[in-house]
Amino acid sequence: MNIRCLIIDDEPLARKGLREYLEDVPFLELAGECADAAKAIPLIAASAADLLFLDIRMPRMTGLALLRSLPQPPPVIFTTAYPDYAVESFELNVLDYLLKPISFERFMKAALKAQAYFDLRRQPDAPYFFIKCDNRLEKIAYADILFVEALQNYVAIHTLSRKLITYLTFKAVEDYLPASHFVRVHKSYIASLDKIDAIEGNELLLGPHRIPMSRGLKDEALEKILRDRFLKR
């Protein structure tokens, strides 16, 4: 199944370059182009694209402003000449951040990351899933997961017996994990509800591990962790 892509960039040459790259990747399909971020909103709302290739600095509305304005944005790969927004963009859980001029090799790396994201989302319901680690496909049972950790462009999945690192985004894994069994407790951590042994201040204890809870997510996370299971006088 192809990934439908929308290019949003005010520079004609940049759109042309991305369009030509898309044509050379068999699993990517051009769904449309926009030179103005505001004009892309109706297309995105109509689910006309699975993936956005989005410039950041544009007149009228920036790519960051567009992304923040969408209640349920599709996955995004930023394409920009400016490295200044990298940290801010990854806090918005974008799939990748491509700096112009973009080589085809770097574009292909981002495309493969997007393919891995959608492949993970399309896996059928089961008590397990597969991820790619190095040159192997590793099977992971939900029941074995302790927590998930964001590592810049990678994700580490900590299980009862091992730590697996895969070239996926934190958002891809978060969207795939069942919300009934996992809770996001920090911008870089998702914990398995069943594996939390104790809560100590702003930390969760899971087996031999300690992971932080952020101030902004702590109340919501504690409500989900404790539910009606907190006994008190």
Side-chain angles (χ1 to χ4, degrees):
M1 185 175 177
N2 284 353
I3 301 169
R4 297 169 302 154
C5 305
L6 179 63
I7 298 170
I8 307 169
D9 197 310
D10 62 311
E11 299 176 11
L13 283 177
R15 294 198 304 275
K16 180 176 181 291
L18 288 172
R19 186 170 62 246
E20 290 175 350
Y21 281 174
L22 282 171
E23 290 171 353
D24 289 336
V25 180
F27 56 84
L28 298 183
E29 174 185 327
L30 182 64
E33 299 180 23
C34 287
D36 185 308
K39 291 180 179 177
I41 293 175
L43 290 173
I44 297 168
S47 299
D50 304 311
L51 175 67
L52 307 183
F53 285 92
L54 180 60
D55 189 20
I56 292 182
R57 288 198 185 178
M58 291 182 284
R60 294 183 61 201
M61 177 182 271
T62 67
L64 288 168
L66 170 63
L67 188 53
R68 290 196 188 97
S69 74
L70 300 170
Q72 292 184 312
V76 170
I77 294 174
F78 273 130
T79 58
T80 178
Y82 304 94
D84 319 52
Y85 305 99
V87 173
E88 188 176 0
S89 70
F90 281 113
E91 288 177 351
L92 293 170
N93 288 318
V94 301
L95 288 183
D96 213 333
Y97 192 94
L98 303 183
L99 281 174
K100 299 174 181 176
I102 302 165
S103 68
F104 182 73
E105 180 182 4
R106 184 64 184 86
F107 177 88
M108 192 65 198
K109 190 174 183 180
L112 290 171
K113 183 187 281 191
Q115 184 185 44
Y117 170 85
F118 284 103
D119 284 348
L120 187 61
R121 294 290 301 275
R122 291 166 184 155
Q123 289 190 43
D125 290 338
Y128 60 86
F129 59 96
F130 286 89
I131 60 169
K132 187 173 183 181
C133 296
D134 297 324
N135 295 317
R136 290 164 54 109
L137 291 176
E138 297 281 357
K139 181 179 179 179
I140 301 176
Y142 289 122
D144 289 343
I145 298 173
L146 292 173
F147 63 95
V148 178
E149 179 185 9
L151 300 171
Q152 295 182 334
N153 289 335
Y154 297 85
V155 169
I157 299 178
H158 298 256
T159 74
L160 294 169
S161 59
R162 55 187 177 158
K163 173 183 175 181
L164 297 166
I165 296 177
T166 182
Y167 190 61
L168 284 168
T169 67
F170 191 62
K171 178 176 172 56
V173 179
E174 180 184 18
D175 288 349
Y176 189 75
L177 294 175
S180 57
H181 290 80
F182 294 88
V183 58
R184 184 172 180 180
V185 298
H186 186 276
K187 69 178 183 179
S188 300
Y189 290 92
I190 298 167
S192 169
L193 291 168
D194 295 337
K195 300 298 187 298
I196 297 170
D197 296 319
I199 303 166
E200 188 176 297
N202 292 322
E203 290 186 318
L204 297 178
L205 282 64
L206 302 95
H209 306 278
R210 288 176 175 262
I211 65 172
M213 284 191 291
S214 66
R215 191 174 301 171
L217 292 172
K218 182 177 179 179
D219 290 344
E220 184 180 346
L222 286 177
E223 183 179 350
K224 190 170 182 180
I225 294 165
L226 298 176
R227 294 179 187 168
D228 299 324
R229 300 185 179 92
F230 180 38
L231 301 183
K232 56 184 177 180
R233 292 182 65 181

